[in-house]
């Protein structure tokens, strides 16, 4: 990747126009290669005498084709961070490379062209109400100077992609929130960007609409291999669609990693609170007296699922293999992009030896077993 | 009719109405252009604007405020030497145009500025994030999104202009104001004043109606 980039920056290729070079470069941005590299990125706002480090020395790499979540409470600096990436906000210091190109040194004109490679969607959709759905989606194409015939063709594809067929001539005021965000997404994808920035894209939507927009984003991510950076203050958004996540507080990234790792092993206080948002408090369940009292014979097991979607049929497998009774008492399993995560409390009864065999079998899978109580 | 309005010369009245319409429409076009330019400058050069520029903003704001503060009747008199220089006379409908435009444009400029401020910042930001040039943002976002407010603004301004044309009539600009004053008021033929007033009211209503119709048609919010 590095070599290829250098190659195309080589003097021999200086005969190519900037656009042509960028086009060639695009071929080498493959899934898994480095899409974004951010180092020592800071943004300081001055409000009179006061100074706010909205973003404070952030380092981050994001791979091509990944859905990267940034979560934090209000005022953590998430919006500022994402706006620094396409320089809607000018960085105070630090460096940002997108697809191998340094953003911070681009002049105005090159920045404008580069921005056409970076789609952005917003919490409040930010559609032009004076334009129809089709015209809104065509707007970035007009900006990029795409011919009218090609524009109409592309708009059709996009309307199809986001599921807005039949709404082409509607004005934004005639659409629901979810439909507006679909227009926003189609518009952001119009110029075939390699990166999509989403600032609280679902925060203005009800839970069901949120889910439909999130699946659309996953769909796009898979279909187009698009890299997505997703800002949110809701952990379930991260849980549902992100591969990796960074937790922000006071302008800094306090913890980052794969979503499952953060769920199973949150180290920072803020992360723990976010995990509790979707999983509930971890020890609350165990001390549930009624749960314990319901077990007088057999064993009470806690099964922990971390990732591995192959474990999904585990319970039925165990029930088939062994002549025992399995009774699910309580459970909390969430689906993440890396498979299910969470725990089940299972009451297992039957012949003592068979019960032990079943437990040994479960232990041979990647599911963690804990015996909470012997009956 | 002849008994009710014995002194009204209907042909003269048609000519006077024509002059009023002529002054109003030409001055409206001039005001629209000048007001849009001034309003855009005010908006773009304001703090946090796309072309933030303190000095230019201050100068334009000062000019707009000063000319808005001068009563129209006095503005005409102040501009007499200027119009005389331009047209060789200060009488007639054309000679009234500079005063009408200079009187109305600053008012419209403020309305333009307010209309542009009402445009959602997020939408401008969205356009920037797509890589739009400032000129694209002005013509395809700002002016388009503000269009209903710009149209209702020019409607209000035009109605004020119709009033101004009547004032300009006092110094011989022609039109219904002129006719009402010289043939009606100075000769104590109040039937003339009455008919002229009714005609002016009708003209005002027609402009208001057209303005409202256009505003409603383009407002898709
Ligand atoms: N233009 C600005 N001028 C001054 N301070 C700003 C500006 N923009 C943001 N800030 C400050 O920077 C900090 C981070 O703001 P930011 O909007 O990035 O937070 P956020 O994490 O997106 O919060 P939210 O979830 O509420 O959107 C806040 O303290 C905010 O007051
Ligand atoms: Mg925010």
């Amino acid at each position: 990747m590095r070599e290829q980039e250098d190659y195309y920056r080589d003097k021999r290729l200086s005969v190519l126009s900037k656009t042509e070079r960028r086009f060639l470069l695009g071929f080498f941005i493959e899934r898994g290669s480095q899409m974004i590299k951010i180092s020592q990125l800071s943004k300081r706002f001055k409000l009179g005498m006061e100074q706010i480090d909205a973003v404070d020395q952030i380092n981050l790499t994001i791979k091509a084709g990944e859905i990267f979540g940034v979560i934090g409470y209000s005022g953590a600096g998430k919006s500022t961070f994402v706006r620094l990436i396409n320089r809607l906000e000018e960085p105070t210091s630090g460096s940002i490379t997108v697809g191998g190109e340094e953003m911070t040194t681009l002049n105005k004109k090159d920045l404008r062209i580069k921005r056409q490679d970076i789609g952005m969607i917003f919490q409040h959709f930010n559609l032009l109400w004076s334009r129809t759905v089709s015209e809104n989606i065509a707007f970035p194409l007009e900006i990029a100077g795409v011919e009218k015939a090609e524009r109409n063709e592309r708009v059709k594809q996009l309307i199809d992609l986001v599921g807005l067929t039949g709404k082409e001539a509607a004005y934004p005021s005639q659409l629901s929130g979810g439909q507006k965000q679909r227009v926003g997404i189609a518009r952001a994808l119009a110029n075939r960007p390699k990166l999509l920035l989403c600032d609280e894209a679902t925060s203005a939507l009800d839970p069901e609409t949120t889910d439909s927009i999130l699946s659309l984003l996953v769909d796009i991510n898979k279909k187009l291999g698009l890299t997505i950076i997703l800002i949110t203050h809701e952990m379930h958004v991260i849980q549902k669609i992100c591969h990796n996540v960074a937790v922000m507080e006071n302008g800094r990234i306090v913890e980052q990693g794969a979503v499952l790792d953060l769920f199973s092993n949150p180290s920072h206080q803020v992360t723990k609170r976010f995990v509790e948002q979707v999983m509930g408090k971890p020890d609350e369940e165990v001390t549930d007296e009624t749960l314990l009292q319901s077990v007088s014979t057999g064993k009470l097991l806690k099964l922990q699922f971390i990732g591995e979607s192959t474990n999904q049929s585990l319970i039925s497998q165990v029930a088939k293999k062994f002549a025992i009774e399995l009774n699910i008492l309580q459970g909390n399993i969430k689906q993440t992009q890396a498979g299910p995560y969470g725990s089940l409390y299972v009451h297992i009864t039957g012949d003592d030896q068979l019960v032990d065999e079943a437990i040994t079998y479960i232990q041979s899978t990647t599911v963690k077993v804990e015996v909470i109580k012997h009956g | 009719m002849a008994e009710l309005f014995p002194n009204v010369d209907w042909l003269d009245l048609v000519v006077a109405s024509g002059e009023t319409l002529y002054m109003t429409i030409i001055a409206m076009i001039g005001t629209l252009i000048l007001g849009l330019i001034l309003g855009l400058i005010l908006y773009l050069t304001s703090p946090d604007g796309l072309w933030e520029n303190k000095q230019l903003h201050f100068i334009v704001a000062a000019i707009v405020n000063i000319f808005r503060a001068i009563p129209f009747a006095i503005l005409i008199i102040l501009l007499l030497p200027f119009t005389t220089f331009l047209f060789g006379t200060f009488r007639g409908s054309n000679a009234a145009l500079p005063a009408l435009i200079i009187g109305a444009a600053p008012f419209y400029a403020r309305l333009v500025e307010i209309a542009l401020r009402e445009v959602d910042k997020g939408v401008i930001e969205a356009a920037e994030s797509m890589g739009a040039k400032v000129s694209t943002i002005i013509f395809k976002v700002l002016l388009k999104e503000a269009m209903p407010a710009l149209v209702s603004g020019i409607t209000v301004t035009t109605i004020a202009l119709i009033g101004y044309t009547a004032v300009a009539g006092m110094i011989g600009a022609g039109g219904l104001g002129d006719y009402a004053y010289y043939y009606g008021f100075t000769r104590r033929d109040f039937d003339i004043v009455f008919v002229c007033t009714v005609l002016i009211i009708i003209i005002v209503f027609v402009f208001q109606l057209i303005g409202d119709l256009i505003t409603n048609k383009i407002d898709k919010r």
Side-chain angles (χ1 to χ4, degrees):
Chain A
M1 175 71 197
R2 268 254 83 76
E3 280 163 24
Q4 281 154 347
E5 278 172 28
D6 292 344
Y7 179 69
Y8 283 104
R9 286 218 196 77
D10 198 296
K11 274 201 197 80
R12 278 167 296 173
L13 282 156
S14 58
V15 285
L16 295 174
S17 74
K18 191 128 195 158
T19 332
E20 282 167 325
R21 259 181 293 163
R22 185 165 300 124
F23 182 71
L24 286 172
L25 207 60
F27 273 107
F28 297 108
I29 301 181
E30 288 157 16
R31 208 179 267 268
S33 65
Q34 186 177 296
M35 180 72 204
I36 294 181
K37 182 166 171 56
I38 286 164
S39 30
Q40 292 299 102
L41 185 65
S42 295
K43 174 69 186 185
R44 172 171 292 179
F45 288 112
K46 292 199 175 73
L47 286 173
M49 299 296 278
E50 249 187 292
Q51 290 184 336
I52 301 167
D53 289 309
V55 167
D56 197 2
Q57 295 178 22
I58 282 186
N59 296 298
L60 206 60
T61 55
I62 295 173
K63 292 202 286 291
E66 110 176 277
I67 304 183
F68 190 94
V70 177
I71 191 164
Y73 290 109
S74 190
K78 310 179 293 291
S79 297
T80 310
F81 166 68
V82 79
R83 291 157 50 83
L84 285 169
I85 295 174
N86 63 358
R87 275 176 60 191
L88 281 179
E89 211 73 77
E90 287 294 338
T92 309
S93 62
S95 132
I96 308 160
T97 60
V98 177
E101 196 166 8
E102 176 62 47
M103 295 295 290
T104 53
T105 52
L106 291 178
N107 63 28
K108 275 208 165 115
K109 184 161 165 281
D110 289 340
L111 176 62
R112 276 206 312 270
I113 293 165
K114 180 74 185 174
R115 277 176 177 169
Q116 291 168 14
D117 274 353
I118 306 175
M120 190 168 195
I121 55 177
F122 306 85
Q123 178 173 3
H124 298 292
F125 325 121
N126 296 352
L127 303 178
L128 286 92
W129 62 254
S130 59
R131 286 178 170 235
T132 62
V133 167
S134 292
E135 289 164 349
N136 263 292
I137 299 172
F139 188 39
L141 298 166
E142 287 170 29
I143 291 171
V146 177
E147 291 293 323
K148 184 151 189 180
E150 201 185 327
R151 222 157 58 203
N152 292 341
E153 191 53 38
R154 181 86 183 120
V155 168
K156 261 197 217 123
Q157 291 171 3
L158 288 159
I159 286 192
D160 200 39
L161 177 74
V162 300
L164 280 176
T165 314
K167 291 283 176 197
E168 292 87 347
Y171 284 91
S173 60
Q174 301 163 322
L175 300 179
S176 71
Q179 289 169 330
K180 282 185 198 149
Q181 196 57 291
R182 282 169 193 272
V183 179
I185 292 171
R187 184 177 72 173
L189 296 179
N191 282 319
R192 304 177 200 275
K194 303 190 184 55
L195 172 65
L196 180 65
L197 308 174
C198 314
D199 190 358
E200 306 271 8
T202 58
S203 298
L205 305 174
D206 63 49
E208 247 165 72
T209 318
T210 295
D211 283 351
S212 79
I213 293 294
L214 291 180
S215 6
L216 177 62
L217 288 176
V218 173
D219 203 37
I220 290 162
N221 165 259
K222 288 198 176 127
K223 255 190 210 156
L224 311 176
L226 193 73
T227 313
I228 299 179
I229 299 185
L230 192 140
I231 305 295
T232 184
H233 61 264
E234 296 167 311
M235 197 60 176
H236 70 90
V237 171
I238 302 278
Q239 165 235 315
K240 277 185 188 131
I241 78 165
C242 293
H243 304 117
N244 285 297
V245 57
V247 183
M248 276 190 84
E249 193 189 28
N250 294 328
R252 290 174 174 270
I253 291 180
V254 292
E255 193 165 357
Q256 74 178 91
V259 170
L260 273 181
D261 291 345
L262 246 70
F263 264 92
S264 49
N265 216 349
S267 64
H268 195 276
Q269 198 49 44
V270 177
T271 318
K272 285 181 184 157
R273 267 159 69 200
F274 275 121
V275 172
E276 277 167 24
Q277 248 184 32
V278 283
M279 301 310 300
K281 280 203 198 320
D283 34 358
E284 234 170 42
E285 320 171 330
V286 191
T287 53
D288 192 336
E289 276 303 313
T290 46
L291 184 68
L292 292 174
Q293 273 161 16
S294 69
V295 178
S296 50
T297 58
K299 281 177 177 158
L300 175 62
L301 304 181
K302 180 186 180 184
L303 307 182
Q304 260 209 299
F305 292 74
I306 307 174
E308 297 304 322
S309 41
T310 47
N311 288 331
Q312 261 166 328
S313 57
L314 180 78
I315 298 292
S316 63
Q317 279 173 32
V318 174
K320 266 187 214 152
K321 263 201 165 75
F322 305 95
I324 47 158
E325 290 289 320
L326 275 172
N327 189 13
I328 298 173
L329 299 178
Q330 181 177 306
N332 187 9
I333 305 262
K334 299 282 187 226
Q335 297 301 322
T336 76
Q337 284 298 305
Y341 173 80
S343 50
L344 280 186
Y345 288 85
V346 179
H347 185 199
I348 183 166
T349 47
D351 181 75
D352 274 357
Q353 190 178 346
L354 284 178
V355 166
D356 285 342
E357 272 174 35
I359 293 175
T360 318
Y361 173 74
I362 298 171
Q363 277 165 341
S364 75
T365 70
T366 49
V367 174
K368 276 201 244 164
V369 191
E370 203 182 320
V371 180
I372 305 280
K373 194 187 170 193
H374 298 268
Chain B
M1 283 293 238
E3 287 128 55
L4 260 177
F5 308 109
N7 305 304
V8 176
D9 179 331
W10 297 98
L11 190 65
D12 281 357
L13 209 60
V14 171
V15 173
S17 302
E19 284 168 346
T20 294
L21 281 176
Y22 171 80
M23 282 189 285
T24 306
I25 289 169
I26 303 290
M28 178 183 82
I29 294 167
T31 301
L32 190 66
I33 295 167
L34 190 59
L36 276 176
I37 293 170
L38 291 173
L40 268 170
I41 294 175
L42 281 175
Y43 173 82
L44 293 170
T45 60
S46 65
D48 280 335
L50 292 166
W51 283 333
E52 186 176 343
N53 184 328
K54 277 210 179 82
Q55 287 86 353
L56 187 58
H57 186 81
F58 178 80
I59 293 167
V60 176
I63 293 172
V64 164
N65 285 339
I66 290 169
F67 278 92
R68 225 155 42 108
I70 303 172
F72 185 70
I74 294 169
L75 185 69
I76 299 180
I77 297 165
L78 286 175
L79 285 176
L80 280 181
F82 176 65
T83 41
T84 314
F85 167 77
L86 227 55
F87 297 97
T89 170
F90 62 84
R91 304 189 66 83
S93 298
N94 280 327
L97 291 175
L100 289 171
I101 293 169
I102 291 171
F107 175 67
Y108 186 51
R110 279 294 178 203
L111 295 183
V112 171
E113 191 197 1
I114 293 167
L116 296 177
R117 273 189 207 293
E118 290 290 309
V119 175
D120 186 356
K121 285 266 184 313
V123 174
I124 297 164
E125 198 156 82
E128 283 184 306
S129 80
M130 293 172 212
K133 294 188 200 130
V134 175
S135 59
T136 309
I137 294 180
I138 292 174
F139 290 106
K140 292 197 164 183
V141 181
L142 283 171
L143 293 181
K144 286 278 167 60
E145 294 283 292
M147 197 55 90
L150 294 176
V151 172
S152 64
I154 196 66
T155 309
V156 172
T157 311
T158 304
I159 285 160
L161 266 174
I162 296 168
Y164 289 176
T165 64
V167 178
M170 310 287 170
I171 59 154
L176 289 166
D178 191 340
Y179 191 69
Y181 183 71
Y182 285 102
Y183 294 85
F185 180 71
T186 53
R187 293 185 192 169
R188 297 285 183 268
D189 290 340
F190 286 105
D191 56 336
I192 291 183
V193 178
F194 177 77
V195 173
C196 287
T197 309
V198 170
L199 278 174
I200 287 179
I201 290 171
I202 291 171
I203 292 174
V204 166
F205 278 18
V206 168
F207 274 96
Q208 184 72 57
L209 195 74
I210 295 171
D212 288 351
L213 280 177
I214 298 175
T215 309
N216 285 335
K217 179 126 182 58
I218 57 178
D219 197 344
K220 306 288 184 194
R221 266 174 295 200

